Amino acid sequence: MIRHRPAGSGHPYSVDTEQRWPVEPEAGGTAALGARADASVDAVTAELVWTPDGGAAESSELTLERVATTSRGRVTDGGHLASAQAKLARAVGGWQVVTPALQAGGTYGYRFTAHHEDGRTERTRWFDVRAATWRPAPDLVAAIGASRVIPGSVEALDDGVRVHRVRFALRLAAGEHVTGFGERYDTLDHTGAELDSVVFEQYKSQGAERKTYLPMPFAHVVGGDGWGFHVVTSRRVWFDLGATDPAVIGVEAQTGPDGSLDVRFFDGDPATVLGGFLDGVGRAEELPSWVFRLWASGNEWNTQAEVMRQMDLHREHDIPVGSVVIEAWSDESTFTAFRDARYAVTKDGAPHRLADFDFPAEGAWPDPKGMTDELHARDIRLHLWQIPLMKMRPHPQGQAAADAQAAIDADVLIAEPAPGGGTRPYRNRGWWFPLALMPDLTDRRAAEWWTEKRRYLVDEVGVDGFKTDGGEHAWGGELVYLDGRRGDEKNNLFPVAYAAAYGDLLRSSGKAPVTFSRAGFSGSQAHGAFWAGDENSTWDAFRWSVNAGLSAAASGVVYWGWDIAGFSGDIPDAELYLRATAASVFMPIMQYHSEFNHHRTPSRDRTPWNIAERTGDERVLPLFREFVQLRERLLPYLTEEAAKTIATDRPLMRPLFFDHPGDPEVWRAGGEWMLGDDLLVAPVLEPGADTVAVYLPEGDWADVWSGERIAGGRTVDAAAPIDRIPVFARAAATERLRVAFPFGEG
């Protein structure tokens, strides 16, 4: 066996052994040509044929050298989310050669020959590539609004047949700060940095890796006149935000073959800039007030008895809960049927109804409908976990096999080019469920085919929402969607359509479109709620999550939260857990969650009673109760402020620069935010702290705990005992907020 894939797996941040790099080489540079071969191959050569446009072909032979094999960024198994093909990667050989300097104005053809130990040879098909050059292209960037493109800066990467990318430059003035770009973990102010916009599953350490599930090619430029811009594309865009030249923002974007690119420019304060962006991509719709109540979840709550036990414990400890998310509810095969349910297979993949299922009394879920009714009687909403894949390993049986064949027959799947020509169903290259099939949820017909199989959960069981997890699995610019467009244009749009499809299902049943997603792109603002993804229980992750929430809010995401104090690995200590809980009281979505731990003891659940028991800290339960009860008192405020946010485009969880764009001190007030118009929140983000330096912008403020009145425009040292987070109210709003806070009278 010998294999070469010119673009590799489609991993946006890693070069695979068997690919060409760069995929789009530039004239004057070289390209690495790679292949993978099985263990019986002891030599690999490549024929390289150069054919100038209108000229005669010239051929040469290149000898490849052995290299370490890599696939999708991994050389060996990576643990929980490792590539399922890691063993194969270690069993086969990597080979690579670097070409001579490439010329423009012609085509390079190449193919590989594997020389086996027994004298056999094996060849790949021919592959073609043209070297491209950057050329001036002033007409390719169309500015909408008052253009800030530097004259003469627009260039196209053109290989003589098509344009691959366009780049241009914008002026960045001294004192201006660049922010936005969707959900970003490392910082709020990206001035002096480089980043890109591609949906990617970064499992943990998002702030250190600087990769995100929810990018947007949209920026605020704050501190001068006030402006912003949106690169109107779903393809990948790269940004140099003063890193190379502090006076220049450089933008480089993938394009379609004609190279055209629209860029919208907005002038004004941050709310005006954000409003201009949302006019183009869509804005949030108001969700019911119950989304602001505590969400509870644990990946080991995988039986009806365990879910109800946890809800009973909430009641026993007087800790209100508004939503429960059940992740491990399904058969882990179809993701439509409760585990242990008995039913007849619909061989044509037709949807089931509730009456089609028999739920054995001894099974994991003896009465899903009764459980849901009981949760509703307790004023608790139910959400079920989903994944947008059709699992194909191990080899599907029963309904899973019937569904896979039905999806192929109905032509509702994303496709990829087949080696022999034409297309075949795309097989997932992401970390989860390798080789799974993937429905094209960007297509209305396919989305309805998919969601109809879940309709009984909404219409009959009574489910209130879905955790729309894992929207990052569309890898590769060559993928083929049902409308004929390719992955380079549509992969980033997949998670937007994924949440929209489930929202439409809920809406069609008369319910609010409450989805809970981690992946998204421009346009996701209009579809449900979001959380910050997978993280360890560390102070770093806490700080990164605050950045993520503020960046997402600055980009128009209203309903956002995170896994309180992290969900993965060992539990947080009591201090981190309580500080994270206190901060989450003042975030749009307040929820805790924990990763699957194979039911080992001691438990790693992030419930307050488990944290109290594991840490031995007697403060945990009473303080968690106080924090959640405070959250309950804040519900009217949150509901009113969310409606105001949607009407005005002033974020609910609001970075300070929105209200004070001309104040340079707000950029040094790390981690602070406004919650609505009247509350300033300054979480404790470091261990061992009992005070926090809080910057209060101009205006009159009141400490919500002591009632002390303080004039703004300065930094104060706020007391931060473990039972209190520094929060200040606009002095004029104290009466409005007295239902929630003592203001020194309690």
Side-chain angles (χ1 to χ4, degrees):
M1 179 276 294
I2 183 167
R3 184 175 72 180
H4 171 70
R5 292 196 293 183
S9 64
H11 189 301
Y13 299 107
S14 176
V15 178
D16 295 337
T17 302
E18 69 267 31
Q19 76 171 86
R20 179 176 69 236
W21 186 256
V23 177
E24 299 148 1
E26 295 186 32
T30 61
L33 305 178
R36 286 173 61 185
D38 60 36
S40 67
V41 173
D42 61 5
V44 177
T45 57
E47 299 170 70
L48 182 66
V49 179
W50 159 245
T51 306
D53 294 340
E58 304 173 14
S59 63
S60 59
E61 184 172 279
L62 306 175
T63 300
L64 282 70
E65 297 183 353
R66 288 186 184 272
V67 296
T69 55
T70 60
S71 178
R72 296 178 288 179
R74 300 176 187 270
V75 178
T76 59
D77 287 330
H80 175 61
L81 295 177
S83 163
Q85 292 185 326
K87 293 181 180 179
L88 175 63
R90 293 195 301 274
V92 299
W95 300 85
Q96 196 172 82
V97 67
V98 176
T99 69
L102 301 175
Q103 304 175 60
T107 301
Y108 289 90
Y110 62 94
R111 68 176 177 179
F112 300 91
T113 300
H115 303 269
H116 292 264
E117 295 170 347
D118 61 5
R120 292 181 297 111
T121 59
E122 183 180 359
R123 288 189 175 89
T124 66
R125 65 178 178 87
W126 285 97
F127 301 92
D128 294 333
V129 66
R130 295 175 65 90
T133 57
W134 287 101
R135 63 169 176 82
D139 296 332
L140 288 185
V141 172
I144 303 168
S147 176
R148 292 177 180 259
V149 176
I150 297 174
S153 69
V154 182
E155 296 182 307
L157 184 63
D158 189 341
D159 67 10
V161 173
R162 63 155 293 168
V163 173
H164 295 281
R165 303 188 191 187
V166 165
R167 66 188 182 192
F168 60 92
L170 311 170
R171 293 283 182 210
L172 180 62
E176 289 184 325
H177 301 264
V178 191
T179 185
F181 300 104
E183 185 181 54
R184 300 286 169 169
Y185 300 79
D186 54 319
T187 184
L188 186 61
D189 183 1
H190 297 284
T191 312
E194 296 177 291
L195 51 80
D196 70 335
S197 58
V198 62
V199 173
F200 184 71
E201 182 196 349
Q202 176 59 50
Y203 177 64
K204 304 195 290 192
S205 299
Q206 294 91 356
E209 294 287 339
R210 303 184 67 245
K211 303 177 179 72
T212 181
Y213 309 94
L214 210 171
M216 297 181 195
F218 160 73
H220 293 273
V221 185
V222 184
D225 295 337
W227 60 285
F229 64 95
H230 172 215
V231 184
V232 187
T233 183
S234 55
R235 294 182 170 92
R236 192 173 184 180
V237 185
W238 294 262
F239 299 92
D240 181 324
L241 307 169
T244 301
D245 181 341
V248 173
I249 295 173
V251 182
E252 184 174 320
Q254 288 181 332
T255 70
D258 68 356
S260 62
L261 186 70
D262 288 346
V263 183
R264 291 185 177 272
F265 291 94
F266 318 105
D267 293 294
D269 63 22
T272 301
V273 168
L274 179 57
F277 174 50
L278 298 179
D279 284 344
V281 302
R283 46 179 51 81
E285 65 179 273
E286 192 174 348
L287 297 180
S289 61
W290 57 256
V291 303
F292 293 122
R293 304 184 68 218
L294 178 67
W295 296 50
S297 180
N299 213 345
E300 296 192 340
W301 302 1
N302 62 348
T303 66
Q304 182 171 331
E306 180 62 14
V307 168
M308 296 312 299
R309 185 179 79 87
Q310 297 292 349
M311 295 304 99
D312 287 344
L313 285 167
H314 271 276
R315 186 161 60 182
E316 176 184 327
H317 292 294
D318 193 22
I319 296 174
V321 58
S323 287
V324 60
V325 181
I326 307 179
E327 292 211 352
W329 66 278
S330 81
D331 55 14
E332 295 293 318
S333 176
T334 66
F335 302 102
T336 62
F338 282 86
R339 188 171 74 259
D340 296 337
R342 295 190 287 250
Y343 58 96
V345 172
T346 58
K347 294 185 178 179
D348 61 354
H352 286 94
R353 305 302 294 173
L354 182 59
D356 297 329
F357 295 97
D358 173 48
F359 301 102
E362 69 280 6
W365 307 96
D367 186 6
K369 168 66 172 167
M371 176 188 69
T372 307
D373 290 345
E374 173 62 20
L375 291 171
H376 288 167
R378 300 188 191 192
D379 200 20
I380 300 171
R381 270 68 179 185
L382 173 61
H383 310 262
L384 297 182
W385 184 85
Q386 287 287 277
I387 189 78
L389 297 168
M390 304 185 77
K391 189 175 176 181
M392 299 295 285
R393 282 190 168 186
H395 191 71
Q397 304 292 324
Q399 191 62 56
D403 288 348
Q405 187 59 53
I408 294 170
D409 294 343
D411 189 22
V412 295
L413 301 173
I414 297 171
E416 62 183 345
T423 62
R424 64 185 181 187
Y426 168 65
R427 306 296 291 272
N428 173 38
R429 303 169 194 166
W431 316 127
W432 292 1
F433 308 126
L435 302 181
L437 302 175
M438 193 164 178
D440 182 358
L441 299 181
T442 71
D443 179 85
R444 178 173 291 277
R445 179 183 63 84
E448 289 178 352
W449 183 93
W450 182 260
T451 57
E452 280 302 307
K453 296 180 70 61
R454 289 132 177 96
R455 177 166 293 281
Y456 85 95
L457 297 169
V458 179
D459 287 357
E460 299 181 89
V461 176
V463 169
D464 301 285
F466 291 96
K467 187 170 184 177
T468 38
D469 200 357
E472 314 89 354
H473 299 297
W475 282 22
E478 77 282 9
L479 302 190
V480 183
Y481 286 75
L482 290 172
D483 64 2
R485 287 188 284 172
R486 298 290 175 135
D488 65 327
E489 186 177 3
K490 296 207 69 176
N491 291 348
N492 279 341
L493 296 177
F494 181 87
V496 183
Y498 173 25
Y502 279 80
D504 287 344
L505 170 63
L506 291 159
R507 193 181 286 107
S508 72
S509 189
K511 299 193 175 188
V514 180
T515 53
F516 200 33
S517 310
R518 69 178 186 187
F521 193 70
S522 304
S524 286
Q525 295 90 336
H527 303 295
F530 297 84
W531 91 101
D534 298 340
E535 255 305 347
N536 284 322
S537 293
T538 67
W539 288 90
D540 277 341
F542 184 7
R543 289 184 287 269
W544 291 334
S545 296
V546 169
N547 289 334
L550 293 173
S551 296
S555 303
V557 174
V558 175
Y559 299 96
W560 177 94
W562 67 307
D563 297 333
I564 290 175
F567 99 123
S568 183
D570 205 0
I571 61 167
D573 62 31
E575 182 186 12
L576 173 56
Y577 186 74
L578 290 171
R579 293 301 195 188
T581 302
S584 294
V585 171
F586 300 95
M587 293 174 176
I589 299 292
M590 183 184 188
Q591 67 105 24
Y592 69 78
H593 178 51
S594 54
E595 190 176 37
F596 187 66
N597 191 42
H598 303 280
H599 299 284
R600 293 176 291 209
T601 55
S603 170
R604 288 182 172 180
D605 267 13
R606 267 57 171 177
T607 56
W609 36 90
N610 189 55
I611 301 299
E613 179 181 349
R614 288 284 313 275
T615 64
D617 195 315
E618 296 179 353
R619 302 171 299 176
V620 170
L621 265 171
L623 289 183
F624 192 93
R625 179 185 306 114
E626 286 184 24
F627 291 142
V628 178
Q629 290 177 349
L630 169 58
R631 176 70 169 202
E632 290 283 305
R633 297 196 299 274
L634 280 170
L635 290 179
Y637 176 80
L638 289 164
T639 303
E640 292 170 12
E641 293 300 309
K644 202 181 298 183
T645 287
I646 292 165
T648 65
D649 300 323
R650 292 162 56 79
L652 179 58
M653 183 180 177
R654 186 181 311 161
L656 297 189
F657 71 78
F658 261 82
D659 293 329
H660 307 278
D663 185 347
E665 291 299 317
V666 301
W667 299 100
R668 289 185 276 275
E672 295 180 29
W673 66 86
M674 294 294 298
L675 182 67
D677 283 342
D678 294 329
L679 290 175
L680 186 149
V681 184
V684 180
L685 298 173
E686 301 287 344
D690 56 13
T691 62
V692 175
V694 181
Y695 178 68
L696 296 175
E698 63 180 359
D700 295 323
W701 301 89
D703 184 315
V704 302
W705 311 112
S706 69
E708 179 186 2
R709 298 296 180 102
I710 305 170
R714 61 195 177 107
T715 298
V716 299
D717 287 329
I722 194 66
D723 64 345
R724 185 173 299 176
I725 176 175
V727 178
F728 296 83
R730 294 194 188 278
T734 54
E735 288 306 313
R736 178 191 184 197
L737 293 163
R738 202 171 293 277
V739 67
F741 302 104
F743 289 102
E745 298 177 4

